[in-house]
Amino acid sequence: MTDSTHSPAFDAAAEFDRQVRTLVALGYPALSGRTPDRFTELVAPLRAEVVARTDSAAYPGHDPAVTGRVPFVLVVGRELAPPEGTMPLTTLHGGRLPGFVDRTFEPGSLERFVATEPTRPPGSDGVHLLFDIERGEEFCGAVPGDALATVAGRGRTPLTVEEGVALLTHVPEVLVKNKCFSLGGSRCGDRRVPAIWISKRAPKLGWCWEGNPHTWLGMASAGARHA
């Protein structure tokens, strides 16, 4: 048995650097029309905020597959890298098959699933930080509309599509069977709620109806955004 009180402290700076390396290795600079050096320069100012705001002591023995909690993720907005291009860059933890966008998103419809007013990304550079993320498996089996109301009542915010892809990109182990998550921060004006779950041994970006519960689908949320 592992004693979490003797686990190494979570190193926010090292984790930020790892996330930047991940994005560079996956080709995000090219997607955003930048060289790797220019892309790294774009996100570098966020590093100090990560160090200042991350409570390392709150994540002893950090294991997101078990806890469903992640201290922060670096998010690249759709104006730089649209989800249609970034979702195929994701995989399951230990998997090889690329993520995909479900065919129930008719051509051109995904671009209409934009951030709601409360979840609009901050800043103007197309990159931001998302802090204190929870996978939200407590909401598995709950109606998404009810889950969103509970999340708002706690002063938290649902994730957008881009934030969900970022979470999966940086921390693929957070997506596990029967603990997948909705992304209620992006809507298109109807009752559809985007979600990421596992299908055909790969991550899938799809959607479910706002009033339909699913035993394997919770509601991901975060504590704050910063740019």
Side-chain angles (χ1 to χ4, degrees), residues 143-177:
V143 173
D146 294 342
L148 284 168
T150 300
V151 166
R154 294 173 179 173
R156 294 178 61 80
T157 176
L159 271 58
T160 65
V161 166
E162 296 94 316
E163 290 166 346
V165 173
L167 176 61
L168 178 61
T169 298
H170 295 304
V171 195
E173 55 266 44
V174 80
L175 185 66
V176 298
K177 183 179 180 180

Side-chain angles (χ1 to χ4, degrees), residues 15 18 59 62-73 90-94 130 132-137 140 159 163-183 196-198 203 216-221:
E15 172 61 11
R18 183 194 70 82
Y59 299 91
H62 181 52
D63 188 351
V66 175
T67 66
R69 299 182 64 218
V70 175
F72 68 87
V73 292
T90 66
T91 61
L92 296 178
H93 179 58
L130 192 68
D132 185 24
I133 302 122
E134 295 180 357
R135 181 171 54 200
E137 60 260 39
C140 287
L159 271 58
E163 290 166 346
V165 173
L167 176 61
L168 178 61
T169 298
H170 295 304
V171 195
E173 55 266 44
V174 80
L175 185 66
V176 298
K177 183 179 180 180
N178 296 327
K179 294 182 181 180
C180 304
F181 45 86
S182 293
L183 305 169
I196 291 177
W197 65 89
I198 299 171
W216 41 268
L217 198 58
M219 181 65 66
S221 68

Side-chain angles (χ1 to χ4, degrees), residues 2 22 29 38 40 44 50 54 59 62 64 72 83 85 96 106 108 119 129 148-149 158 171-172 198 202 207 212:
T2 300
T22 295
R38 292 292 300 275
T40 300
V50 159
T54 303
Y59 299 91
H62 181 52
F72 68 87
R96 301 178 61 183
E106 63 273 17
T119 64
L129 295 168
L148 284 168
V171 195
I198 299 171
W207 57 264
N212 290 1

Side-chain angles (χ1 to χ4, degrees), residues 69-146:
R69 299 182 64 218
V70 175
F72 68 87
V73 292
L74 174 58
V75 183
V76 179
R78 65 175 59 194
E79 60 268 43
L80 297 183
E84 295 90 340
T86 57
M87 190 64 195
L89 302 177
T90 66
T91 61
L92 296 178
H93 179 58
R96 301 178 61 183
L97 298 177
F100 62 99
V101 177
D102 189 71
R103 55 189 167 88
T104 55
F105 282 109
E106 63 273 17
S109 69
L110 186 54
E111 65 187 32
R112 300 199 304 271
F113 281 82
V114 298
T116 62
E117 184 63 33
T119 64
R120 185 168 297 172
S124 58
D125 292 333
V127 293
H128 69 276
L129 295 168
L130 192 68
F131 286 99
D132 185 24
I133 302 122
E134 295 180 357
R135 181 171 54 200
E137 60 260 39
E138 68 175 284
F139 298 111
C140 287
V143 173
D146 294 342

